[in-house]
Every structure is written in C-alpha cells, then in structure tokens.
Amino acid sequence: MANGTDGTRRNAATGESYLPHQEPRYREIATFLRAPLAESLQELDIALVGIPFDVGVSNRPGARHGPRELRNQSSMMRSLHHVTRLDPFAQARIADIGDVRFSSIYDLKQVSDDIAAYYSAIHRAGIIPLSAGGDHSITYPILRGLAADGPVGLIHIDAHTDTWDEFQGSKFHHGGPFRLACKEGLIDPKRTVQIGIRGAQNTTQGWDYSAASGMRVMFMEEVDALGIVATVAEARRVVGNGPVYLSFDIDSIDPAFAPGTGTPEVGGLTSLQALQLVRGFRGLPLIGADVVEVSPPFDPSGNTALLGATIMYELLCLIAEQVATDKN
C-alpha cells in the first residue's frame, strides 16, 4: 500500500499518521468509501476498483463517469454499520487501487481482455475485488478473471436479465454479459438467481435464455409478493454454499430513488429494500461484487451515486466480515 498497512496515511509535510476515513468528510482525496489509496496489491485483502467504461451501452451513455462520482459520494460514508455494529476497516485490509486502464478504449474485445487480465492478477494475489462501473458489460470480463478455476454461483440484482445475444453485430454489450458468462462456463446457471427483473421488451429472448439455461428468474412482481426475507431465502437456496459473485445494477432500484442510470425501469426496489436484500447475503462466500450503471449525467441530485456508494459500503461489510472469518 502507498501508506500504512493498517489504512493510515502519512502527512507529507509533518510526517503525522492518521486515518483518512475518520477525517471530516469534506477533506482528503476522494476514494471509494474513503479507503486509502494503494499503488500495489501487496498487503491487501480487498481491492476497490473503478471501471470507467460505457461503450457497451445500448442507449443512454454516461456510466463511464460512474466511478468518479461514486468516489465523490463515498465521502458521505462512515465506517461503523448501524445494524451489525461492524467496521469493515477493522476487519480487513482495504484500499482503492484506482481504475482499470485500457489499451484501446474503442476496441470492445480488447477492453474485455484488459479487464479480464486485470482481475486475473487480483485473483492470483488472493484479493477480493469490489468494483464500480461502468456499464454492465464489465461483469463478463471480471468473471473471466475470477472464475478461471471453474463456474461460480451468481446473485444478479437488476431490472434486466442481461442474457440477450448480439446487439448491432457485437456480443460485448451491457445486455448480454451473463449469456456470455454462462456459455463460457464462468457461472453455473443452476446456481444463478436474477432478482428484480421487470419492464417491457421487444423480444422474449433474454427471459427465454435465462429460463432455458436453468437460471432462477425472480421478476419484481414475485419479489414484491414474497417480500425481501423470503426472496433472500430463495436466493440463498439457489446459490448454495459454494463460491458466489454478486452483481448489483443500480437500475434494479426504482427510478424514483435512482434516476441516474442508462435504462431506468419503473416499479423497482425501494432504497430500503435494496439495502435489506444485500444484507441478507451475509455469510455467503463472495469471490467479488460490483455496482454498475450509475450514470451521473442523468443524476442531477446526486442521489443515485449516493445510493450506489451506500450499496458498495453494504457489500464491503459483507466481504470484510467474510475475510475476518476466514482468517480466524
């Protein structure tokens, strides 16, 4: 890490050590969840990563600005969780390691390869990544980097199944990452649950692929009828106790709460339901997680990015507790 291994930072002028996330929230360089910056993967348990990419969107762009604004809104975060009373920074070595760099931003295959290589390095180092997109196309190459040892389970919270085929001649788009991941054996469809699906489509292709492959699709109407507790129980039944990845698309939340996204769909989760849903996955062996599709140009109040940063914090708490448990 660039500073102390315990998350401390050293003042360049005075040499004084301090904890950035305990400073007044208007101070310091904006990082994910006010974590320290790191220049290497050494002495880390959890890496916070930005992927500023949205060339895979099918309509409204802007998610490339998501990581920067999520860092800004992360300044509102504190460390101690009000429900569990756990402090993720006291449980694991956490740092913001910056953004994935691309060798050719307009070459979609090359971007996918760049992301996959980046996450392969994180995986080899034994570090769990928590990522901020970017559009949802980034999750496919993340899984390429993390699931090289065999298929993993997937908790996918979204308004859309993202299992569509090629769009405008390309398979690298935000509507198809989980079709690709399934076809390449990166996720086990029998251990995949998709939660909050809704919205009219011009074709049933995505819904059909998810169902035919064996994924458990929970449309928003079912989630509403069951309630969050029963939804969590069903999701945990599907994914079991094996390694699992969690992908959270901000458009799973109703645009009344999260308007700043590329493909908003009315009738979604409330903010509270989203938090309760994520907390319900406490104790699962997560190999990584992401929050995607925050689009600041469509987020005039900043509430969508604030909600995205809060979801990231909830995910960080899950992963940090898991790290601490594994160490003991």
Side-chain angles (χ1 to χ4, degrees):
M1 295 177 66
N3 299 283
T5 58
D6 59 354
T8 60
R9 186 174 295 167
R10 189 173 298 277
N11 186 291
T14 67
E16 176 188 8
S17 294
Y18 62 97
L19 289 169
H21 66 269
Q22 292 183 0
E23 289 293 299
R25 287 178 287 171
Y26 53 84
R27 293 192 350 196
E28 296 301 311
I29 298 169
T31 62
F32 288 126
L33 306 172
R34 308 182 73 202
L37 290 167
E39 296 176 348
S40 77
L41 298 179
Q42 295 179 1
E43 300 180 321
L44 280 185
D45 299 310
I46 301 170
L48 307 177
V49 188
I51 310 181
F53 176 80
D54 66 3
V55 185
V57 298
S58 55
N59 186 19
R60 304 198 307 183
R64 69 184 66 183
H65 302 289
R68 179 169 292 184
E69 192 55 28
L70 283 166
R71 285 185 172 101
N72 289 337
Q73 292 295 340
S74 289
S75 297
M76 299 298 294
M77 299 297 104
R78 301 180 181 91
S79 58
L80 190 63
H81 197 287
H82 75 283
V83 176
T84 64
R85 302 300 173 94
L86 297 176
D87 178 352
F89 296 96
Q91 296 179 298
R93 299 169 298 177
I94 303 163
D96 185 331
I97 64 170
D99 292 343
V100 176
R101 294 176 62 84
F102 306 115
S103 56
S104 181
I105 193 71
Y106 299 111
D107 183 335
L108 299 184
K109 182 181 184 305
Q110 185 60 53
V111 166
S112 182
D113 290 344
D114 290 343
I115 296 172
Y118 194 94
Y119 281 82
S120 291
I122 291 173
H123 183 60
R124 288 194 303 271
I127 295 168
I128 300 176
L130 173 55
S131 310
D135 70 55
H136 220 156
S137 68
I138 67 170
T139 307
Y140 160 63
I142 289 175
L143 289 167
R144 285 176 58 197
L146 299 183
D149 300 329
V152 299
L154 175 69
I155 297 171
H156 172 209
I157 304 170
D158 201 327
H160 314 99
T161 61
D162 290 354
T163 49
W164 275 259
D165 206 344
E166 290 189 2
F167 178 74
Q168 295 291 299
S170 176
K171 64 180 182 179
F172 301 108
H173 60 87
H174 70 165
F178 301 113
R179 188 187 191 102
L180 294 176
C182 184
K183 290 172 69 174
E184 294 187 21
L186 303 175
I187 58 174
D188 180 351
K190 301 295 193 298
R191 294 184 58 232
T192 294
V193 59
Q194 300 184 302
I195 303 171
I197 308 304
R198 63 189 189 280
Q201 299 291 335
N202 291 324
T203 171
T204 63
Q205 181 190 107
W207 304 330
D208 293 345
Y209 183 89
S210 290
S213 65
M215 299 179 188
R216 175 68 166 95
V217 181
M218 302 186 74
F219 285 87
M220 190 61 211
E221 288 73 17
E222 180 183 5
V223 173
D224 181 61
L226 288 176
I228 295 300
V229 173
T231 297
V232 166
E234 173 64 2
R236 294 184 73 115
R237 181 195 68 79
V238 171
V239 300
N241 297 317
V244 61
Y245 187 87
L246 194 155
S247 185
F248 192 103
D249 190 324
I250 204 70
D251 70 25
S252 63
I253 300 174
D254 193 280
F257 303 93
T261 189
T263 315
E265 301 284 359
V266 301
L269 297 166
T270 67
S271 297
L272 179 58
Q273 286 176 321
L275 297 177
Q276 292 171 330
L277 185 60
V278 171
R279 290 172 195 161
F281 300 124
R282 187 178 181 187
L284 288 181
L286 295 175
I287 65 165
D290 62 51
V291 175
V292 299
E293 298 284 355
V294 172
S295 181
F298 296 98
D299 190 28
S301 70
N303 282 348
T304 308
L306 175 61
L307 183 49
T310 306
I311 295 294
M312 283 190 71
Y313 169 75
E314 294 285 344
L315 291 168
L316 180 65
C317 288
L318 298 185
I319 298 170
E321 185 178 19
Q322 169 191 323
V323 167
T325 300
D326 291 344
K327 286 182 176 179
N328 294 331

